[in-house]
Amino acid sequence: MPKYGMVIDLDKCTLCEACVTACKLENNVQIVSKEDAAIGRTMFWMTMLTLEHEGQYPDIKLKRIPRLCFQCDKPSCIKTCPVRATYKREDGIIAQIYPNCIGCRYCMANCPYTVKVFNWDRDKQPQQVEKCYNEDVSVRPKGIVEKCVFCIHRLQKAEERAKAEYRELRDGDYVPACMEVCPAKAIYFGDLDDPHSKVFEAIKDYRRFTLQEDLGTIPKVYYLNAKD
Amino acid sequence: MKKIVVFILFLIGVVAGVIFVQAMINQSAMVQPIKFNHQLHHKKMGIDCIFCHKYVETESRASIPNIDVCGICHLVLIGNSSEEKKVHEYVKNQKRIPWLSIYHVSDYASFSHRRHVAIGKLSCNLCHGDMGTLTSPPEKQFLKIKMENCINCHEKRHVSTDCNQCHR
């Protein structure tokens, strides 16, 4: 069974936020109203996290990294779910089953990375957005928790394609939307256990780090530190 | 005496309630604008399902044919049935036929015809019944769109029953 993981090379990342936009469109993530956004209810499955900043304004230097669900190997969010709306799949992806979710938000409280978002309200979406909804992903109603699931619908499609061509799933068949659009090719994705995958090579880099390693959640999204 | 009357009234109320709930659960019969004859088209004329439901092997929705498909043959009158005249009228006036959709999959579940027909190699009859023998359009779902029906079939065929396969 594969173990899917991601590596983000911060040296290559130009902070263009193409991944953030692609994620939002691919997964039909709601665009919230101005009022909701003002009280911190914006919805992003992938967003830019500011780690630290140096210098004084206007010569400020930010260290920002793209942040998504880390699909931890030992996730703390699934332990608290009373209805098994979130669980760890065999391939290591932490799934989120929206019809099961009762909106108690225990998983949100238990996530040390605060990657989960709650649907506070269902706002009217711009017409252009409604037109280009992705059919493979449901449009979530209000009152449930959602998060990045490594574009799991793409895995299903890739598996089907491989089956139709009578072959096994190859490295590069299944890629999430954020990796596909990255213009700097800073994101690697694949099977962490497969020695022939690109992600396996990338993970061996000495610059590797994960966020809050001391927690023991073992995130499967790794960062490669930028060289100074 | 008074107690008996109250009891009978209560009984009537319960029975009425049960009938009402049953009626709500059972889908009411749907009447299509044209009495389409599947038997004539499929069995007698030998037209394949995919000729009319043309996206069944490529898209998630099989599609219900409309004037663009019907118009291939019915641009001119072939027979003299009253139903065919209705189709001809729609085609001639370039008006879409307001077919009623009987099978609905909820928003929170994803279903793909391509996945089941082209990749899974399942027969249409399994869910839709033997449509080729029907002389009038179906009024109800043959196999109720319910999760237990999906799960039963998936378990029987040893296909994944992971929640994430359909709900995401």
Side-chain angles (χ1 to χ4, degrees):
Chain A
M1 192 47 92
K3 191 171 115 184
Y4 291 109
M6 188 182 268
V7 175
I8 302 175
D9 191 342
L10 299 177
D11 215 11
K12 288 182 182 171
C13 179
T14 58
L15 308 178
C16 67
E17 300 196 19
C19 50
V20 177
T21 317
C23 174
K24 194 132 178 152
L25 283 173
E26 176 77 18
N27 296 298
N28 304 339
V29 183
Q30 191 189 178
I31 297 172
V32 299
S33 65
K34 267 184 190 171
E35 295 79 38
D36 275 1
I39 48 175
R41 291 175 179 180
T42 48
M43 292 184 76
F44 287 102
W45 286 9
M46 189 168 202
T47 180
M48 302 306 281
L49 184 71
T50 307
L51 285 187
E52 55 197 47
H53 56 86
E54 289 169 13
Q56 289 291 316
Y57 180 82
D59 299 318
I60 204 160
K61 198 182 165 195
L62 294 175
K63 186 177 180 186
R64 300 179 84 204
I65 57 170
R67 188 215 60 189
L68 62 163
C69 175
F70 292 105
Q71 317 284 352
C72 310
D73 225 10
K74 288 185 181 164
S76 50
C77 55
I78 65 169
K79 287 176 192 158
T80 46
C81 183
V83 289
R84 199 177 171 268
T86 178
Y87 63 93
K88 192 178 153 195
R89 280 164 54 111
E90 282 179 347
D91 53 13
I93 298 173
I94 313 300
Q96 187 86 14
I97 309 301
Y98 306 119
N100 267 11
C101 182
I102 54 169
C104 65
R105 309 208 284 142
Y106 285 169
C107 57
M108 282 177 79
N110 234 29
C111 175
Y113 306 104
T114 62
V115 293
K116 296 201 167 193
V117 283
F118 187 65
N119 265 284
W120 284 98
D121 211 349
R122 197 68 232 168
D123 293 312
K124 182 102 187 76
Q125 299 295 296
Q127 213 181 8
Q128 295 89 328
V129 173
E130 274 184 357
K131 267 187 193 167
C132 61
Y133 270 153
N134 186 358
E135 231 192 15
D136 298 325
V137 186
S138 64
V139 179
R140 278 80 53 188
K142 82 170 180 183
I144 58 149
V145 177
E146 51 184 67
K147 73 166 187 81
C148 158
V149 284
F150 271 167
C151 292
I152 221 161
H153 54 283
R154 286 179 170 229
L155 171 62
Q156 203 172 12
K157 280 196 164 176
E159 276 174 350
E160 278 170 9
R161 212 175 303 130
K163 205 178 164 188
E165 292 168 12
Y166 300 103
R167 60 173 173 83
E168 291 283 299
L169 204 64
R170 282 195 297 250
D171 183 41
D173 277 348
Y174 162 42
V175 287
C178 50
M179 175 185 168
E180 197 177 15
V181 296
C182 183
K185 302 268 175 279
I187 302 177
Y188 304 92
F189 180 83
D191 185 0
L192 293 172
D193 288 343
D194 177 14
H196 306 293
S197 67
K198 276 182 190 165
V199 76
F200 189 83
E201 283 296 312
I203 211 170
K204 286 194 279 193
D205 202 303
Y206 72 96
R207 297 176 292 144
R208 186 185 88 172
F209 75 100
T210 53
L211 291 186
Q212 304 196 44
E213 272 169 57
D214 51 328
L215 290 177
T217 51
I218 320 177
K220 287 201 289 290
V221 176
Y222 297 89
Y223 293 100
L224 301 183
N225 212 347
K227 290 171 200 152
D228 289 324
Chain B
M1 188 63 195
K2 207 178 175 184
K3 270 186 182 173
I4 293 170
V5 172
V6 170
F7 181 68
I8 288 170
L9 278 176
F10 174 73
L11 258 180
I12 291 169
V14 168
V15 171
V18 168
I19 291 170
F20 180 72
V21 170
Q22 283 263 317
M24 289 287 281
I25 293 168
N26 284 336
Q27 204 189 10
S28 56
M30 281 176 150
V31 183
Q32 300 287 359
I34 295 164
K35 211 174 154 211
F36 183 81
N37 190 340
H38 274 96
Q39 197 189 42
L40 180 73
H41 288 81
H42 181 64
K43 280 268 154 74
K44 286 196 181 154
M45 309 303 287
I47 300 170
D48 222 8
C49 307
I50 198 170
F51 184 80
C52 298
H53 303 283
K54 52 184 176 182
Y55 300 121
V56 70
E57 284 186 350
T58 49
E59 300 283 329
S60 57
R61 290 178 189 207
S63 79
I64 301 174
N66 219 303
I67 48 168
D68 53 332
V69 178
C70 304
I72 297 172
C73 301
H74 295 286
L75 199 62
V76 286
L77 278 173
I78 306 167
N80 47 15
S81 84
S82 59
E83 297 303 313
E84 198 208 336
K85 274 179 193 140
K86 284 189 204 167
V87 183
H88 181 63
E89 279 298 306
Y90 278 115
V91 175
K92 207 170 67 181
N93 300 333
Q94 285 295 302
K95 259 191 185 169
R96 291 186 69 76
I97 308 166
W99 296 117
L100 300 170
S101 177
I102 293 174
Y103 293 89
H104 275 294
V105 182
S106 310
D107 291 345
Y108 49 79
S110 85
F111 175 85
S112 165
H113 274 95
R114 178 178 177 265
R115 199 164 293 147
H116 288 84
V117 179
I119 298 163
K121 303 262 185 283
L122 292 183
S123 149
C124 309
N125 297 5
L126 204 67
C127 303
H128 295 285
D130 200 357
M131 292 295 286
T133 56
L134 296 183
T135 49
S136 59
E139 291 175 342
K140 283 177 185 171
Q141 294 174 359
F142 175 76
L143 185 78
K144 282 255 163 68
I145 308 257
K146 274 187 171 178
M147 200 174 93
E148 61 176 271
N149 286 338
C150 301
I151 294 285
N152 285 344
C153 195
H154 273 233
E155 276 178 350
K156 212 161 67 184
R157 282 157 211 279
H158 306 292
V159 196
S160 169
T161 49
D162 190 69
C163 310
N164 231 174
Q165 295 288 329
C166 307
H167 302 292
R168 61 207 166 195

